[in-house]
Amino acid sequence: MKSAVETLNPTRVRLTVEVPFEELKDSLDAAYKKINQQVTVKGFRKGKIPARVIDQRFGRGAVLEEAVNDALPKFYTEAVNEADLNPLGQPDVDIKELKDGELLSFTAEVDIRPAIEIPDYSGIEVTVDAVEVSDEDVEKSVEQLRGRFASTKDVERAAEDGDVVTIDLEAKVDGEVLEDGVAQDVSYTIGSGELLEGIDEAVKGLEAGGEATFTSQLKGGSAEGKDAEVTVKVTKVSARELPELDDEFAGLASEFDTLEELKADSRKRLENMKQYDQATQAQERVLEKLLELVEVPIPEKLLADEVQTRKHNLEHHQLGQMGLTIEKYLEIQGKTVEEFDAETAEQAIKGIKTQFVLDELVNKEKLNVNQEELTEHLMRRAASSGMSPDQFAQAVVEGGQVPMLVGEVARGKALAAVVEAAKVTDTNGEVVDLSDEEDELEQAAETVENVVEADGEIAADEAK
């Protein structure tokens, strides 16, 4: 076999392959054997039909076609390996010449990973938010905890903000009551924003037995998106009663004996959360700076496929779970189709570029993934998927996705290495040391996933 490579552009090549006919022998034998098992010829046992009879009855062309289809993947792979290419996706193959007994010639055009030069990144500098927890932050956190231990007490007065009301609802569109537009004994906290727009204004000031009518756009159901005339009747008004903020409350709501200990713990937890957010912010901003340093050509077909995947995931998974159409989503976001397409393409380009650059860094820095790192990553992915670690691991192995997980961890290590080399300061001018951040590698891997995310990654589509 002889092969040659022609570079069409930085991300696409054309392979020209010539195969002497004798190298097709194994595929020809396999073709005759396959046809033997599929056809019946009178006078011959199944599977024992001579090649010359198959040629006469079914045509030599059918045999050659079967043999070529069998042989092409092998010769294509050999040509790719010989040229040391990193193909992306499946090739476009064109048979140029097939001379029986002489020669098979074909071309294969395929996208490839572009050659990338990683410059010195040690000079990257970013600024992140300072970790500051105010007394007000602590008080807000404690108040939220206090709210979870609130009780309710029926009152004989008009409903106010924060009250819990029990209501009956009836929705009409064009004067007709909707079949799915009636609900009774609905519990609603005024001001929560969990029901229809306009309901807070309608029920405030009503006592038990009072009712009001208002117009609101329906968020779901058979008349989703339409304006409805909604009648709401209040059957009960309950006031929320918060427990006293004292040591007794601290003992009830936590493992601490005093309110001061509870507040100190709340402050510590808020600091940890802000430190985590700070580390994520540093990783995101360092990644942005790194991508600015590197010129990365993007394969057109890969970009088109990535954009399509992102649109499909949004429309059929995320929005589908929320009962929204893409049209309704764009209306809520206040975006045109053109703006949405441009934004999706921009995100896809960033995701592809991130993978290319970090994968090149993995190779350049010779970063390896050990079993402990892979296991930790698998545990986190399992938790986020709602599966047990054993179930998730089994699904990964059966789906052949282990290399994908290894790639995610490796890219996380690459980003963590760049962050470690960068200078990170906070808004107070203090140098931020992220080397002691717990789960730094997993956090970096998650940061990369959020950029790349499109239900599958480039590496999974590579074919040699």
Side-chain angles (χ1 to χ4, degrees):
M1 184 196 81
K2 292 192 303 182
S3 64
V5 180
E6 177 187 356
T7 300
L8 304 177
N9 61 50
T11 63
R12 194 166 179 82
V13 298
R14 179 189 292 125
L15 286 163
T16 300
V17 183
E18 292 185 355
V19 183
F21 203 79
E22 57 267 22
E23 293 186 30
L24 287 172
K25 183 180 183 307
D26 289 345
S27 294
L28 276 169
D29 291 343
Y32 279 117
K33 185 175 181 180
K34 182 176 181 181
I35 294 173
N36 242 308
Q37 299 301 321
Q38 295 175 338
V39 301
T40 302
V41 176
K42 189 175 181 180
F44 296 95
R45 285 183 298 163
K46 197 174 187 66
K48 299 296 184 179
I49 308 169
R52 58 180 176 77
V53 176
I54 290 177
D55 289 346
Q56 291 168 358
R57 288 293 188 94
F58 306 102
R60 174 72 166 177
V63 179
L64 289 175
E65 182 179 354
E66 183 66 40
V68 169
N69 288 339
D70 176 76
L72 277 177
K74 181 184 72 170
F75 292 121
Y76 166 72
T77 300
E78 287 181 10
V80 164
N81 291 336
E82 190 175 285
D84 195 24
L85 299 175
N86 291 307
L88 301 168
Q90 297 301 314
D92 296 324
V93 177
D94 185 18
I95 305 295
K96 291 300 183 182
E97 191 173 11
L98 177 57
K99 290 184 179 179
D100 194 357
E102 296 183 28
L103 180 74
L104 164 65
S105 173
F106 69 91
T107 61
E109 288 190 16
V110 67
D111 286 335
I112 60 169
R113 279 181 177 256
I116 298 174
E117 284 293 327
I118 304 293
D120 179 17
Y121 51 80
S122 60
I124 290 178
E125 297 184 12
V126 297
T127 302
V128 295
D129 295 335
V131 174
E132 295 174 338
V133 177
S134 66
D135 291 342
E136 184 181 346
D137 293 332
V138 175
E139 294 299 331
K140 184 178 178 181
S141 175
V142 172
E143 278 299 320
Q144 289 173 343
L145 179 62
R146 186 186 183 198
R148 292 202 291 272
F149 285 83
S151 58
T152 57
K153 179 181 179 181
D154 294 349
V155 292
E156 295 183 3
R157 60 164 172 77
E160 302 172 354
D161 265 329
D163 284 345
V164 179
V165 290
T166 303
I167 55 178
D168 296 336
L169 293 165
E170 181 183 84
K172 295 180 180 178
V173 173
D174 298 329
E176 297 290 329
V177 178
L178 300 171
E179 288 186 12
D180 55 355
V182 178
Q184 295 181 322
D185 294 330
V186 176
S187 181
Y188 175 67
T189 301
I190 300 175
S192 67
E194 294 174 352
L195 280 179
L196 298 167
E197 187 176 343
I199 195 169
D200 288 340
E201 292 76 9
V203 297
K204 276 192 292 188
L206 295 181
E207 298 183 17
E211 65 177 60
T213 300
F214 63 101
T215 300
S216 183
Q217 189 179 79
L218 298 178
K219 295 180 179 179
S222 60
E224 179 184 0
K226 293 184 178 180
D227 287 338
E229 184 182 84
V230 182
T231 300
V232 56
K233 181 178 181 180
V234 176
T235 59
K236 186 168 67 175
V237 179
S238 302
R240 294 173 77 243
E241 294 187 339
L242 296 171
E244 290 294 324
L245 275 180
D246 52 23
D247 292 346
E248 184 179 344
F249 166 71
L252 172 68
S254 70
E255 70 272 28
F256 301 105
D257 296 325
T258 68
L259 182 60
E260 288 307 310
E261 289 176 324
L262 173 61
K263 287 184 176 182
D265 180 69
S266 295
R267 183 179 295 276
K268 182 63 178 175
R269 285 188 296 103
L270 289 172
E271 286 175 351
N272 289 339
M273 289 170 58
K274 291 201 172 189
Q275 284 172 348
Y276 187 93
D277 292 341
Q278 184 189 62
T280 299
Q281 191 178 68
Q283 291 163 358
E284 290 172 347
R285 293 182 179 179
V286 167
L287 178 59
E288 290 279 358
K289 292 279 189 179
L290 176 64
L291 296 182
E292 289 172 8
L293 293 175
V294 188
E295 189 69 32
V296 182
I298 305 295
E300 290 182 12
K301 185 176 184 303
L302 178 64
L303 176 58
D305 290 345
E306 185 78 357
V307 168
Q308 185 58 40
T309 299
R310 287 172 182 262
K311 286 182 177 180
H312 178 85
N313 291 343
L314 174 66
E315 187 170 359
H316 297 282
H317 298 303
Q318 300 170 42
L319 297 183
Q321 291 176 357
M322 294 187 287
L324 291 176
T325 62
I326 188 68
E327 291 78 16
K328 186 65 178 177
Y329 169 76
L330 293 179
E331 181 184 329
I332 294 171
Q333 294 290 313
K335 295 176 183 175
T336 65
V337 173
E338 292 74 20
E339 288 171 336
F340 171 70
D341 286 346
E343 185 179 281
T344 304
E346 183 179 343
Q347 292 169 348
I349 289 171
K350 183 178 179 181
I352 294 169
K353 191 172 181 179
T354 296
Q355 285 199 63
F356 283 167
V357 171
L358 293 181
D359 285 346
E360 184 61 30
L361 260 173
V362 169
N363 293 330
K364 179 181 178 181
E365 304 294 348
K366 295 180 172 55
L367 301 176
N368 296 312
V369 176
N370 61 43
Q371 187 60 50
E372 183 181 349
E373 293 165 342
L374 183 59
T375 300
E376 187 177 345
H377 184 64
L378 186 147
M379 298 280 281
R380 182 180 65 79
R381 289 292 302 270
S384 64
S385 71
M387 300 169 68
S388 72
D390 287 345
Q391 289 174 325
F392 187 79
Q394 183 177 353
V396 166
V397 173
E398 290 178 353
Q401 298 298 300
V402 174
M404 185 187 77
L405 287 189
V406 172
E408 290 173 353
V409 180
R411 281 188 283 275
K413 293 186 80 167
L415 177 58
V418 179
V419 172
E420 188 175 341
K423 181 180 180 181
V424 182
T425 54
D426 64 22
T427 48
N428 292 331
E430 298 292 329
V431 174
V432 178
D433 181 10
L434 300 172
S435 60
D436 293 332
E437 184 69 24
E438 287 188 20
D439 301 323
E440 178 189 7
L441 173 55
E442 269 304 293
Q443 193 174 356
E446 187 172 359
T447 298
V448 175
E449 284 170 48
N450 290 336
V451 175
V452 169
E453 186 180 340
D455 228 27
E457 55 184 36
I458 298 165
D461 291 331
E462 291 188 8
K464 271 197 175 186

